[in-house]
Amino acid sequence: MHSNNSNCLGISDIENVLRSVRGKQVVFLPNPGNAGDSFIAHATYQLFQKIGLDYEMGDPQRIYANRVVILGGGGNLVEPYKDVANVIDRNVDRVHQLIILPHTIRSHIDVVSRLKANCVVFCREMPTYRFVKEAAPAADVLLGHDMALSCDLPATRELGSRDVRTTTSPSLLLRNLKRVVRSSLYHMKWLDSGKTLNSIRLDMERTSIPVPVHNIDLSAAFAADDMSPQSSLHATYFMLRFIDRFNVVRTNRLHVAIMSALLQKAVHMSDNSYGKNYDVFQHSIGDFRNVRWEE
């Protein structure tokens, strides 16, 4: 199994690139989405803090001329999502440097092909690497691992527990109340399900695999209102606390699988609609002895 060490997880190249932009005007735009995306963002904020990177939170509608723009990792450069593609389209010809943290990229070739030598693209699996190398031969294209794999979960548990107790933000308090209620309802309703968590996705990336009667789409149920450091911390903390109550996790949510693997649960992982889970499993997660792939 992987140890929770950044160099073992292939994060060192990402660290080196990020260290190289310290002292410059850096703008960070996290990938929007569900609680899995919050987990990615939270791990990224941890890395920023570790290396002492100062940054400004970006607005996806703005143009950041002559800045270093860092785009958060995830799976947004695939159809039908357009958020990250629109940010790149707006900024690629204006920025000093563009850094795309580990992503799955399957489409938007019209935008991807405009990435130049001042663009660094981290790919979180081999099909993305091959796609971007062919589409954007001038860009600096590197293999990496999903940012969530570098997350320091003990630090998340400690900081999250403290911050959840002391926050005075009305929106966070309301969001956390909803998470507590959803968590309690799941546990109360399915007391007979034992120590197995079923977290099968129900959104546009769902597949034809049967959805168990006792199921919670955790990444959707625990989603945050925004991708700020505090919101991302809270979403990650509540996911961690929820998953940690189980011994076995069956899921086709990539980041439920990643967190469960890091928590040393017995994970039964299956694919999403377009194959990113399998590709990330092949590149990163298959080394975990506690994760089993299921068709």
Side-chain angles (χ1 to χ4, degrees):
M1 184 191 303
H2 284 304
S3 65
N4 195 15
N5 176 285
S6 61
N7 289 331
C8 290
L9 293 169
I11 303 298
S12 55
D13 287 340
I14 299 171
E15 281 193 27
N16 291 338
V17 169
L18 294 179
R19 288 181 191 278
S20 74
V21 300
R22 288 184 301 184
K24 299 179 180 179
Q25 290 184 301
V26 176
V27 177
F28 177 55
L29 290 101
N31 181 44
N34 54 50
D37 297 293
S38 297
F39 182 22
I40 297 171
H42 170 65
T44 305
Y45 294 129
Q46 282 186 334
L47 181 58
F48 287 172
Q49 183 176 29
K50 173 187 173 183
I51 67 174
L53 180 67
D54 293 324
Y55 60 94
E56 166 193 342
M57 291 295 294
D59 177 346
Q61 303 305 317
R62 285 185 56 190
I63 294 173
Y64 292 99
N66 303 313
R67 307 278 194 92
V68 175
V69 173
I70 301 175
L71 301 181
N76 199 278
L77 283 164
V78 300
E79 294 292 352
Y81 309 119
K82 293 181 168 56
D83 312 83
V84 174
N86 288 339
V87 171
I88 296 172
D89 180 52
R90 198 172 287 117
N91 285 275
V92 68
D93 297 321
R94 307 287 296 278
V95 298
H96 172 70
Q97 186 176 12
L98 179 68
I99 300 170
I100 302 175
L101 294 178
H103 233 87
T104 290
I105 304 173
R106 293 285 190 275
S107 57
H108 301 293
I109 194 167
D110 55 325
V111 172
V112 174
S113 63
R114 292 167 57 198
L115 301 176
K116 305 293 194 302
N118 65 334
C119 301
V120 182
V121 185
F122 286 99
C123 308
R124 64 181 181 182
E125 21 75 13
M126 279 302 299
T128 289
Y129 179 79
R130 290 192 289 265
F131 178 88
V132 180
K133 285 287 283 186
E134 182 174 351
D140 189 5
V141 185
L142 301 167
L143 267 172
H145 294 275
D146 190 288
M147 290 299 299
L149 283 160
S150 71
C151 188
D152 184 343
L153 288 181
T156 302
R157 192 190 303 273
E158 180 181 349
L159 179 59
S161 176
R162 185 167 64 247
D163 204 76
V164 164
R165 289 197 309 268
T166 58
T167 186
T168 57
S169 163
S171 61
L172 275 174
L173 288 168
L174 178 60
R175 176 60 64 182
N176 290 342
L177 177 61
K178 291 178 180 177
R179 291 172 178 139
V180 169
V181 169
R182 287 168 182 161
S183 175
S184 299
L185 286 174
Y186 182 87
H187 287 290
M188 289 171 60
K189 193 172 182 181
W190 304 114
L191 287 174
D192 61 343
S193 66
K195 285 291 188 176
T196 297
L197 167 63
N198 294 303
S199 186
I200 304 301
R201 67 187 309 151
L202 305 173
D203 65 349
M204 68 177 71
E205 293 182 34
R206 66 185 178 272
T207 66
S208 60
I209 65 171
V211 178
V213 175
H214 54 286
N215 182 69
I216 180 170
D217 187 353
L218 198 57
S219 295
F222 282 15
D225 296 315
D226 59 66
M227 292 291 156
S228 67
Q230 191 178 32
S231 289
S232 299
L233 166 65
H234 284 218
T236 305
Y237 171 72
F238 274 94
M239 276 185 67
L240 185 163
R241 198 171 71 170
F242 186 87
I243 290 172
D244 215 19
R245 298 173 69 175
F246 298 89
N247 296 331
V248 179
V249 178
R250 298 180 184 277
T251 188
N252 60 354
R253 279 285 189 183
L254 177 58
H255 290 90
V256 172
I258 288 175
M259 183 176 286
S260 302
L262 293 174
L263 290 170
Q264 300 185 35
K265 308 302 176 183
V267 183
H268 300 260
M269 182 180 178
S270 53
D271 218 346
N272 73 318
S273 61
Y274 64 87
K276 73 176 180 189
N277 290 7
Y278 181 73
D279 294 334
V280 174
F281 174 84
Q282 289 287 89
H283 180 58
S284 303
I285 306 175
D287 289 343
F288 283 84
R289 291 193 297 269
N290 56 321
V291 182
R292 188 172 79 189
W293 183 260
E294 294 189 344
E295 295 296 337

